[in-house]
Amino acid sequence: MESWGFPDGNIIDLLEKMRLDPLQDINHKLQMHSSLVRRLSLEKELEGHQSCVNALAWNSSGSLLISGSDDTRINIWSYKGRRLLHSIETGHNNNIFCTKFVPETSDELVVSAAADAEVRLFNLSRLSRNRHEENAVEPTAIFQCHSRRVKKLAVEVGNPNVVWSASEDGTLRQHDFREGSSCPPAGSSNQECHNVLLDLRCGSKKSLADPPNQCLALKSCDISSTRPHQLLVGGSDSFARLYDRRMLPPLSSCQTKMKPPKCVKYFCPMHLSERLGSARRSSLHLTHVAFSPNGEEVLLSYSGEHVYLMEVNHSGQSSMRYSAGDYSKHIRRAPISCESEIPFPLPIVSAVSSLKRNNIADKLDMYHKLVQVGEKSLKEASAYMYGIEACCEVLDGKGPEIGDALRHECLCNRAALFLKRKWKNDVHMAIRDCNKARKINPLSFRAHYYMSEALAQLGELKEALDYAIVARHLAPSSIDVSERVESIKVQIAAAEAKKTDKEKEERTNTVRTRNSIPFSDTLLRTEAQSDVYQEGRSERDDSDFEDELELGFETSMSDDEEHENESNVLQGSLRLRFHRREEANIVNDSSGSPSSSSQNVNTDYQPEIAVDMKQRYAGHCNVGTDIKQASFLGQKGEYVASGSDDGRWYIWEKSTGRLMKLLLGDESVVNCIQCHPFDCTIATSGIDSTIKIWTPHAQVQSIVDGGAAGPETADILSIIERNQRKLCETRQTVLGNFEYMGGSMFIHRPYEFLEQFRMQEFAEGTTHPFECTQT
């Protein structure tokens, strides 16, 4: 890995160019140069908060850093002095999730949002020099129109008067400081505030083909710095939505539930857009969305999933766009006919001018060595991650345009490595590569063979058999493919027999099933004997089960409070009572009476078009918190970074998805990552009460923090493998930790179970679950 070349050139050459031509602006190339990224190391820890730090943001000049915490304080830090300047007691009565400087106000106005559903504005010029007095500063404005936790704020470059807030109540509101200092006005309710820019209380979709009919609990939002009219939001489903503010209806109130406005684009990886068996869990949702610095790309971070890169303007490339049903076609595309003719030999390299041939020959030699790295990983069945990254460097790097033969070879190698590695959704990545390889060579034996293996892993046995038969025709002497054909036939026969036995069992147990209460229904009863089971009610599938739970809980803590539980499990037992929501999503209309959201469903709904992924970034784990960020690094956004539940944060090369750096940033979880506007300096925070400042001062380049003293490659792989196993934990694993005793349910591992409900809304006045703590 260390010997691989970097596409951004020699940093000494760049400095020499700047010396010879001072007018040439190359600072953006120097800020996050690969040699600096590899030297990133912890410089300083900023102390000043008393609890988890959930929010970080730089001012426009990079001279100040603002932070928000569970301790309900906003802290202002000096970048140059690395010290605390101001600490503001905000008056929030719950966790602060977001805080920002308001643009064009000389860094005097700051705004905060918290779990108490409030947005507050503060004027730093009113702070006293006396530390005791400044903690009691009164907010300039308080906006209390949201009814659920406010998770994210957005500001517009050059606009000092407006801030936007995204809340789990399903609305994105626009707060204009010129219209008043309080919201709602005295004597009115929050339903009357005419500041709702997006009403998505009936905007959540379970798949691309489904009409929106449930509340989209907003988790994140962002405004493009280059096109301020573009607004990006993400929440409790799989789809990020891009809106044009110029095309949205006028601001409204919440008195009437509005039909969700039409968005410009949906963003979602194709394999996450459909509900197909257990591969699509209703708990999948976005924790962060962000525009790239140039506004041409967006970054999506999923809970229980990876980080994905999408193109905003895909230049009409049909391969980037898909509609409902395309995913099924994607994985069930028919193989070629066995009578097809063998195509002409494929070129090794695309046609180039003679002037460039020598340079390209050197590049191709390096590419062939990288291909050999992938082949070695596949042959030795080890270090699959590095083999995949070697293939990515060839396929997605910034080198010369490779020929079809080399591209086909890399695609097949990477597909095979994905199928061997078996990280979450690797099988879908393998299918993508197989389809690309088949476009290059329709009679590719390897593409058909690996496609058969991928489909078999997804349980698409009949389609897998079709591909295996074609592969056998293309390579009749291959023993492996013949064995695969017979193996799939056996699996199909076993599946058919199992299906027949299940149908017989269902017929013989019909009477008993009607008179008994399923286990899931027992869980959903508020009291063991309070409700009468209703006959004829259809059973819920596995995905819907989690969506329709509301949680009320009582804890019985041990008396010994001095001993911390190192395994993140509550002392004693946890008793939970459940009840089921109504089938329809019940909301209050303007008269206060309940009405069904089913009335808002458009019966003439037309399925939407979505934009597929451009790149995937894997290795971290995002399941433990609901505020985990993924960020672009540098003025050009050459790198992508994300926090993780293993206490580390990860940096990938944007173009290839290659892991560049892994740093230990927290005792438990890293949530926030914010790059300095101009310098190669990064601030991170998480469960710890400190903020970490990272700069490239390490003496030795390394993939891990600490230079040559860092962990070995095997340790890195084991860390990432643990993360992937955690991502792949299923709901059945969690339910396996239940123990049902005497009409009460006890949980021995409450952390894993409660994580399934972090995205649920809690009633007003009840205790909100901590979004950052794990205990």
Side-chain angles (χ1 to χ4, degrees):
M1 292 292 292
E2 295 293 339
S3 61
W4 292 8
F6 295 100
D8 48 2
N10 191 313
I11 192 170
I12 297 178
D13 294 339
L14 293 175
L15 293 173
E16 181 67 15
K17 289 180 181 180
M18 186 170 63
R19 185 184 69 84
L20 296 175
D21 185 5
L23 298 179
Q24 186 177 9
D25 183 14
I26 62 172
N27 288 332
H28 61 282
K29 294 182 180 179
L30 293 174
Q31 182 189 5
M32 298 303 295
H33 192 274
S34 55
S35 63
L36 300 180
V37 172
R38 282 294 180 90
R39 284 185 164 86
L40 282 172
S41 187
L42 180 63
E43 177 193 303
K44 188 176 179 61
E45 292 190 37
L46 304 181
E47 300 181 356
H49 282 294
Q50 303 301 316
S51 191
C52 314
V53 182
N54 306 322
L56 295 174
W58 297 96
N59 64 347
S60 59
S61 66
S63 61
L64 298 174
L65 177 69
I66 188 171
S67 61
S69 168
D70 280 4
D71 62 15
T72 69
R73 288 180 177 272
I74 291 177
N75 283 355
I76 311 294
W77 311 84
S78 167
Y79 171 58
K80 183 178 180 179
R82 306 290 202 271
R83 62 187 180 87
L84 180 64
L85 297 178
H86 305 291
S87 183
I88 305 171
E89 178 56 61
T90 61
H92 287 294
N93 58 31
N94 216 320
N95 311 5
I96 293 177
F97 289 138
C98 189
T99 183
K100 288 182 178 292
F101 290 97
V102 179
E104 305 299 328
T105 61
S106 300
D107 302 323
E108 290 187 352
L109 293 185
V110 297
V111 63
S112 63
D116 58 8
E118 293 184 357
V119 176
R120 294 185 169 224
L121 180 70
F122 297 90
N123 192 326
L124 299 184
S125 65
R126 299 181 181 180
L127 294 176
S128 168
R129 293 181 180 273
N130 185 296
R131 178 63 63 92
H132 177 74
E133 293 181 5
E134 74 176 22
N135 288 340
V137 64
E138 292 296 324
T140 305
I142 302 178
F143 303 99
Q144 299 174 308
C145 47
H146 283 294
S147 59
R148 295 291 184 268
R149 294 172 288 191
V150 183
K151 301 303 290 290
K152 194 65 68 173
L153 298 170
V155 294
E156 178 185 352
V157 174
N159 188 343
N161 301 310
V162 181
V163 66
W164 291 264
S165 59
S167 169
E168 290 180 336
D169 62 13
T171 66
L172 186 137
R173 295 176 181 257
Q174 178 174 301
H175 309 284
D176 194 324
F177 307 145
R178 298 164 296 186
E179 294 182 354
S181 60
S182 65
C183 175
S188 62
S189 69
N190 57 14
Q191 302 295 308
E192 299 177 26
C193 294
H194 286 264
N195 60 3
V196 177
L197 182 63
L198 286 178
D199 186 352
L200 298 174
R201 291 176 294 164
C202 191
S204 177
K205 297 161 64 70
K206 291 185 177 180
S207 71
L208 191 59
D210 290 341
N213 57 9
Q214 293 182 347
C215 179
L216 180 67
L218 296 180
K219 307 289 184 180
S220 184
C221 64
D222 195 19
I223 290 178
S224 172
S225 59
T226 57
R227 301 178 183 89
H229 57 275
Q230 291 186 345
L231 172 66
L232 184 68
V233 299
S236 55
D237 65 12
S238 304
F239 303 93
R241 294 155 171 82
L242 178 67
Y243 293 93
D244 188 329
R245 289 194 285 130
R246 302 169 301 182
M247 300 170 60
L248 294 176
L251 298 178
S252 63
S253 71
C254 283
Q255 290 180 302
T256 303
K257 197 167 190 178
M258 305 291 292
K259 179 182 176 181
K262 186 175 179 62
C263 66
V264 177
K265 290 176 183 175
Y266 283 96
F267 298 100
C268 181
M270 186 189 294
H271 60 278
L272 300 182
S273 65
E274 299 292 333
R275 293 179 58 200
L276 296 177
S278 61
R280 175 68 177 91
R281 296 179 55 194
S282 63
S283 59
L284 179 71
H285 65 281
L286 288 157
T287 63
H288 192 73
V289 297
F291 280 103
S292 63
N294 63 4
E296 298 295 331
E297 297 167 321
V298 297
L299 204 57
L300 312 183
S301 180
Y302 285 91
S303 177
E305 251 287 340
H306 308 296
V307 175
Y308 293 91
L309 181 74
M310 313 283 188
E311 278 195 2
V312 175
N313 302 305
H314 41 79
S315 304
Q317 299 179 33
S318 58
S319 60
M320 300 295 293
R321 293 161 56 89
Y322 65 93
S323 59
D326 282 353
Y327 176 69
S328 297
K329 299 176 184 177
H330 178 69
I331 67 172
R332 298 185 179 94
R333 187 178 301 172
I336 53 95
S337 171
C338 292
E339 288 76 25
S340 299
E341 296 182 357
I342 303 296
F344 291 106
L346 301 172
I348 298 297
V349 64
S350 301
V352 294
S353 65
S354 58
L355 297 176
K356 297 182 179 180
R357 286 177 181 172
N358 291 335
N359 183 41
I360 288 179
D362 294 337
K363 292 284 188 179
L364 287 176
D365 182 62
M366 183 190 73
Y367 279 173
H368 282 294
K369 291 180 180 178
L370 291 173
V371 172
Q372 293 173 5
V373 171
E375 292 175 346
K376 182 180 179 181
S377 297
L378 188 60
K379 182 179 180 179
E380 297 179 354
S382 63
Y384 294 130
M385 184 185 80
Y386 293 126
I388 290 171
E389 290 185 344
C391 295
C392 291
E393 183 70 21
V394 179
L395 294 168
D396 305 318
K398 297 180 180 179
E401 180 64 26
I402 62 176
D404 286 341
L406 189 57
R407 184 177 298 277
H408 174 270
E409 184 72 13
C410 266
L411 287 169
C412 290
N413 286 342
R414 190 167 69 175
L417 289 164
F418 278 135
L419 294 173
K420 293 290 186 181
R421 187 175 70 172
K422 294 183 180 179
W423 288 5
K424 189 163 190 178
N425 285 327
D426 271 358
V427 64
H428 295 284
M429 300 299 105
I431 289 175
R432 293 167 68 95
D433 284 349
C434 288
N435 284 331
K436 291 177 182 177
R438 289 173 58 217
K439 284 184 179 180
I440 297 173
N441 182 3
L443 293 179
S444 168
F445 159 73
R446 295 184 69 194
H448 283 79
Y449 181 81
Y450 295 138
M451 190 71 171
S452 173
E453 183 178 346
L455 291 170
Q457 288 188 22
L458 290 178
E460 304 287 343
L461 297 178
K462 293 182 179 180
E463 290 78 6
L465 180 61
D466 293 339
Y467 278 94
I469 291 174
V470 172
R472 184 174 62 179
H473 170 76
L474 295 172
S477 61
S478 173
I479 299 176
D480 290 340
V481 72
S482 298
E483 291 178 349
R484 173 164 294 282
V485 170
E486 298 304 320
S487 174
I488 296 176
K489 288 181 179 179
V490 171
Q491 293 180 56
I492 291 176
E496 292 292 339
K498 184 177 180 180
K499 180 180 179 182
T500 302
D501 293 341
K502 184 177 180 181
E503 291 175 351
K504 290 181 180 179
E505 183 178 356
E506 289 177 351
R507 287 195 297 267
T508 57
N509 294 333
T510 301
V511 176
R512 185 175 62 183
T513 302
R514 288 177 178 174
N515 295 313
S516 64
I517 301 177
F519 177 65
S520 60
D521 293 319
T522 305
L523 295 181
L524 295 170
R525 297 182 64 179
T526 55
E527 298 291 345
Q529 306 296 330
S530 62
D531 294 332
V532 177
Y533 178 70
Q534 300 177 357
E535 292 186 7
R537 186 187 55 184
S538 61
E539 294 185 13
R540 306 306 178 96
D541 62 25
D542 191 54
S543 298
D544 289 341
F545 178 88
E546 292 179 353
D547 262 351
E548 299 180 0
L549 289 178
E550 288 185 352
L551 179 64
F553 58 88
E554 299 174 357
T555 59
S556 177
M557 302 297 293
S558 64
D559 294 330
D560 187 4
E561 298 179 355
E562 297 180 359
H563 300 284
E564 294 184 358
N565 191 330
E566 297 179 353
S567 61
N568 288 333
V569 179
L570 291 173
Q571 294 287 338
S573 299
L574 185 66
R575 179 177 299 172
L576 298 99
R577 297 196 302 268
F578 298 93
H579 67 275
R580 184 186 294 277
R581 292 180 181 174
E582 294 296 328
E583 288 295 329
N585 188 16
I586 302 301
V587 298
N588 289 334
D589 57 22
S590 57
S591 63
S593 59
S595 61
S596 173
S597 65
S598 60
Q599 298 172 356
N600 295 298
V601 177
N602 187 354
T603 56
D604 299 325
Y605 175 76
Q606 296 295 323
E608 307 283 353
I609 302 295
V611 178
D612 197 7
M613 58 167 279
K614 180 181 179 182
Q615 188 59 267
R616 182 182 73 152
Y617 309 100
H620 74 302
C621 182
N622 179 9
V623 295
T625 60
D626 218 21
I627 55 175
K628 200 168 279 87
Q629 296 178 356
S631 304
F632 291 97
L633 302 183
Q635 297 178 62
K636 294 184 65 177
E638 306 99 319
Y639 298 95
V640 168
S642 174
S644 176
D645 291 345
D646 59 9
R648 297 168 176 85
W649 61 287
Y650 293 68
I651 302 176
W652 299 272
E653 189 176 41
K654 185 186 73 173
S655 60
T656 64
R658 182 169 129 209
L659 182 64
M660 294 289 293
K661 191 76 173 177
L662 184 151
L663 305 103
L664 182 62
D666 196 277
E667 289 292 329
S668 183
V669 176
V670 175
N671 284 323
C672 303
I673 299 174
Q674 289 295 310
C675 183
H676 190 274
F678 310 111
D679 295 344
C680 186
T681 301
I682 301 169
T684 66
S685 67
I687 300 300
D688 292 348
S689 60
T690 61
I691 299 168
K692 277 80 171 178
I693 302 296
W694 307 83
T695 56
H697 67 275
Q699 296 298 314
V700 181
Q701 291 190 19
S702 173
I703 195 174
V704 295
D705 181 27
E712 298 296 329
T713 299
D715 294 327
I716 297 173
L717 292 177
S718 64
I719 290 168
I720 295 177
E721 288 288 350
R722 285 197 299 270
N723 286 341
Q724 299 311 304
R725 287 195 296 270
K726 190 172 182 180
L727 281 180
C728 292
E729 286 184 356
T730 64
R731 175 175 161 269
Q732 284 73 20
T733 303
V734 175
L735 289 179
N737 297 297
F738 282 118
E739 180 179 342
Y740 206 77
M741 301 174 58
S744 299
M745 188 183 348
F746 295 88
I747 300 177
H748 295 290
R749 294 173 60 192
Y751 163 64
E752 289 85 349
F753 181 76
L754 290 175
E755 290 304 328
Q756 306 296 319
F757 301 94
R758 284 190 180 274
M759 60 182 289
Q760 299 295 334
E761 297 179 6
F762 282 67
E764 296 277 0
T766 61
T767 302
H768 297 289
F770 291 113
E771 291 293 329
C772 63
T773 55
Q774 294 190 86
T775 55

